[in-house]
Every structure is written in structure tokens, then in C-alpha cells.
């Protein structure tokens, strides 16, 4: 199931580290944290906006990665994308669960960097197609999709942040996603 | 949400995309989580969107996690914790403070704690006895472990209706909104605790739909409750 030749470009490649994790190698998980931890924590922090929650999200995600490393299938996507999904899922769960509480000091309002984000997307082959397709959307849809993904905020929060009617936000995001789907369709 | 939107592959694809994007609120998200268990097509669409959208994350600035997080992760890896079968170990019998804290009327409780104390005999631990409202009979015993997880066990048989689950919550002093610590596994023992204000925390157990509260807050009656307090 796991073709090492696809992913083991270097010993620190997340794909090879995941393969070692699947075999029960704790050093590999440690290395995965050392090489990917900052990136994944940044993603979790952006969504949860609280250090304690972001830490919990990364903690739970790594435990999950350890448990599920054997299920990672490089044919379905990169190891990086898989890790991002696991951390985002946990961060989104924690953020929603804590939505109605004040459990810590809120971080300052995120700066509006959605437009700029397009230029900061990785130059990898996977990112290239997405960047091209995002570039084909009109500015409002592109901004909504990027902001939503980075901040993991609800339709309602997006509408408040951008001072747009909720219905507009919902339909713009749907149309943006449909545009991406058409553009990225294999 | 499912049920309302089950009308074709395109709509399913959009539901998956919105789920991955993160624009659904708690209840909508929980509805998709439930639908994922029974709709393989939806799960496949979610996986596809996760792969397609993941590169957006490369635009997010990395940040340094707090010191000690790696150690916490490594300590909590499955296989690293040895849970011994409950038994009345001799070292527990020798512990006088254990007995001072125990009254004859609470023998059932004592037997329960003995099993807990054997796991971590030396360290004082925050412990709670959870009882039903208006009753003093211990139904669950909970103890905070060194790694922040909570070990919880019933003192006897606890019947739960087939379509229901019991969910554990922490209510910190001075707050009114409990934080979910997870659904109690049927035969389970360990529940992973979130960051919460331990010393003054009350533990609650509510009756929820199978899989736990769909809203992130208790939706069913709180059936058992108890205060966490240091236990030596």
C-alpha cells in the first residue's frame, strides 16, 4: 500500500516520517514535530486564536497522526496536505466548541491578508494548479475562499468581518467553490 | 443539514467543500460529521477537497508552539501508558491518609479509589466523586492524571439507552458554560482532558445523542455531577 519510492526523497520528508511512525518509530514522530510543528501550530493558532486551544489542537493532531499513520495513502495526496487536514479538523472542532465561551485572551483581529496570500502560496506543483484556479475567480470570491480557509470562520463571522450580507457571503463562497471545482476537475 | 441537502452529487460536493473550508457553524459541522459515518461518497469528497485546498495553508505564517508541547505529545502516545487491571494492591492498604479520607459509609468509593490509587500511588491527585442529583451514592469516580487526562470509571453498572451516550464536561468555577471532555466510552476509562481550570472545576455528565452533543454544549439532562478536589 505504501510506496516508499514516491515519498522518501530525504529522511526528513514527511511521507517517509509517516511511514516510520506507522512502524511504531517514536523518533520519527519527534522528527515530524520538529520539522512540521511550527507550520502546523501556525495553522491551528490562526483558527483557534488562542494559544491553549492551538496547543491542544496540535497535541491531539499528533496523537491522531501516530494512530493513523498506517492509513496515510500517498496516492490520494501529499503527506503535507494530510497533516494540514488533521490539524485543521481538530482546530475547527475546538474552535466551534469554544465559540460561546471566553476561555482566554483573544488575539487581536487578524489582518486582512487574503489578497496577498495568493502570492505567498507555495510554489509546489500542487499549489500551482490551485493558485491558477483561485486567480480565475473574481476578487470577492477569491478573498472569501482564502480567508475562510485560513481563519476557519463561519459564514456569519465572515459576513460580519467583511460587512457583507450573510446571503451574499454564502452564495459567493458556493460560486467560488464551484468555480474551483470546474477549474481543478481532472 | 443532512436530510435537507441530500439532493445530488453536486450538492454533496459543495457540502464537503464548505465543511473543509471551515465555514460551517458548530451544529452544521456536527451534522456533516454524522453524515460522514454513513455516506462514503461524502467522505471521499471531503478527502478530495482537503487535498485540493491544503496548499492555501502554505500562506499562513508558522509560529513556535509553547515549550513542552512535544513532551506532552510523546507522553500521551498510545502504548506509552500502562493501565493495570484494578486490584487492591498492598501499597494502597498501607496508605493511612487513604483511609483517613475514607469513611465506612463509602466503602464502594474506597474500592474504586484503590484501583485508581494503584495506578499513581505516590502523587496527590484531583479526584471527583460523581453522584446523581439528590443522591450521595457514587456512580462515577474520576481522577486527573499526571498527563492531564482524566481517568473515570463507574462504580457499578451504568445503563445507557441504545441511542444515547454519556458525555463528560468540565465546568470551571465562575463560568456557566461547560467544556466537553468527550463522550464516555462504554467500557472505557481514560478521557482526554482539555485545558481547563482544574482546581475549582466541577465535572458533569450529561445524557446526549449517540456520539455526543451536536452543539458543543450539553443538550440533554445533566445526570451526574461532582466537584474535583485534591485527594491524597
Amino acid at each position: 500500500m505504501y510506496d516508499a519510492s514516491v515519498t522518501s526523497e530525504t529522511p526528513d520528508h514527511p511521507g517517509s516520517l509517516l511511514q516510520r511512525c506507522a512502524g511504531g518509530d517514536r523518533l520519527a514522530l519527534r522528527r515530524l514535530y520538529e520539522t512540521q510543528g511550527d507550520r502546523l501550530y501556525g495553522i491551528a493558532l490562526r483558527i483557534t486564536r488562542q494559544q491553549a486551544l492551538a496547543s491542544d489542537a496540535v497535541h491531539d493532531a499528533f496523537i491522531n497522526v501516530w494512530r493513523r499513520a498506517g492509513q496515510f495513502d500517498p496516492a490520494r495526496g501529499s503527506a503535507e496536505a494530510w497533516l494540514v487536514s488533521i490539524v485543521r479538523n481538530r482546530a475547527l472542532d475546538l474552535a466551534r466548541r469554544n465559540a460561546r465561551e471566553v476561555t482566554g485572551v483573544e488575539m487581536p483581529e487578524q489582518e486582512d491578508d487574503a489578497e496577498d496570500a495568493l502570492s505567498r502560496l507555495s510554489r509546489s506543483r500542487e499549489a500551482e494548479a490551485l493558485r491558477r484556479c483561485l486567480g480565475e475567480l473574481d476578487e470577492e470570491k477569491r478573498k472569501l475562499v482564502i480567508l475562510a480557509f485560513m481563519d476557519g470562520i463561519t459564514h456569519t463571522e465572515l459576513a460580519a468581518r467583511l460587512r457583507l450580507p450573510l446571503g451574499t457571503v454564502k452564495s459567493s463562497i458556493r460560486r467560488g467553490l464551484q468555480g474551483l471545482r470546474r477549474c481543478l476537475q481532472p | 443539514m443532512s436530510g435537507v441537502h441530500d439532493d445530488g452529487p453536486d450538492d454533496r460536493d459543495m457540502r464537503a467543500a464548505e465543511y473543509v473550508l471551515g465555514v460551517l457553524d458548530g451544529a452544521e459541522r456536527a451534522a456533516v460529521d454524522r453524515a460522514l459515518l454513513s455516506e462514503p461518497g461524502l467522505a471521499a469528497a471531503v478527502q478530495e477537497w482537503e487535498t485540493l485546498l491544503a496548499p492555501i495553508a502554505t500562506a499562513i505564517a508558522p509560529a513556535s508552539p509553547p515549550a513542552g508541547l512535544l513532551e506532552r505529545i510523546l507522553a500521551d502516545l498510545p502504548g506509552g501508558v500502562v493501565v493495570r487491571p484494578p486490584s487492591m494492591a498492598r501499597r494502597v492498604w498501607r496508605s493511612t491518609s487513604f483511609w483517613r479520607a475514607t469513611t465506612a459509609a463509602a466503602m464502594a468509593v474506597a474500592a474504586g479509589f484503590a484501583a485508581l490509587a494503584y495506578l499513581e500511588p505516590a502523587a496527590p491527585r484531583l479526584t471527583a466523586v460523581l453522584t446523581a442529583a439528590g443522591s450521595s451514592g457514587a456512580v462515577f469516580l474520576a481522577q486527573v492524571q499526571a498527563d492531564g487526562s482524566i481517568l473515570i470509571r463507574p462504580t457499578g453498572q451504568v445503563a445507557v439507552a441504545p441511542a444515547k451516550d454519556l458525555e463528560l464536561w468540565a465546568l470551571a468555577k465562575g463560568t456557566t458554560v461547560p467544556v466537553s471532555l468527550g463522550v464516555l466510552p462504554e467500557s472505557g476509562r481514560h478521557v482526554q482532558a482539555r485545558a481547563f481550570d482544574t482546581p475549582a472545576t466541577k465535572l458533569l455528565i450529561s445524557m446526549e445523542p449517540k456520539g455526543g452533543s451536536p452543539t458543543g454544549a450539553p443538550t440533554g439532562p445533566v445526570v451526574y455531577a461532582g466537584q474535583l478536589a485534591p485527594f491524597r
Side-chain angles (χ1 to χ4, degrees), chain B residues 129-144:
Chain B
V129 178
L130 285 86
T131 62
S135 153
S136 59
V139 183
F140 283 94
L141 304 165
Q143 196 167 45
V144 178

Side-chain angles (χ1 to χ4, degrees), chain A residues 100-116:
Chain A
R100 272 163 295 170
E101 306 169 52
V102 182
T103 49
V105 181
E106 282 263 316
M107 303 219 311
E109 194 67 15
Q110 307 278 4
E111 53 184 309
D112 182 2
D113 55 357
E115 265 315 299
D116 180 42

Side-chain angles (χ1 to χ4, degrees), chain B residues 4-20:
Chain B
V4 182
H5 288 275
D6 281 348
D7 47 15
D10 287 351
D11 192 78
R12 185 171 65 197
D13 192 54
M14 281 301 107
R15 209 157 36 116
E18 288 173 339
Y19 175 83
V20 172

Side-chain angles (χ1 to χ4, degrees), chain A residues 30 33 38 55-56 59-60 76 85 88-90 93 96 100-101 120-122 148 153-155 174 181, chain B residues 11 13 18 20-24 29 47-48 50 55 58-59 63 65-66 72 74 76 179 194-195 215:
Chain A
R30 175 186 281 271
Y33 180 92
D38 287 13
S55 299
D56 281 350
H59 168 273
D60 296 356
R76 285 190 174 152
S85 301
R88 284 189 80 250
N89 267 324
R90 194 63 198 138
D93 284 342
R96 292 296 176 271
R100 272 163 295 170
E101 306 169 52
R120 279 182 286 118
L121 286 195
S122 134
I153 56 178
T154 62
H155 285 126
R174 274 225 163 188
R181 175 49 102 188
Chain B
D11 192 78
D13 192 54
E18 288 173 339
V20 172
L21 199 57
V23 288
L24 302 183
R29 191 172 162 76
Q47 228 170 35
E48 211 175 312
E50 281 175 344
T58 58
R72 211 178 114 205
L74 293 173
D76 289 350
V179 178
R194 303 273 125 261
T215 66

Side-chain angles (χ1 to χ4, degrees), chain B residues 140 152 165-168 182-189 191 205:
Chain B
F140 283 94
I152 181 159
D165 261 331
L166 294 176
E167 187 161 357
L168 182 67
V183 170
L184 295 184
E186 268 161 43
S187 58
R189 324 275 300 281
V191 171
I205 293 178

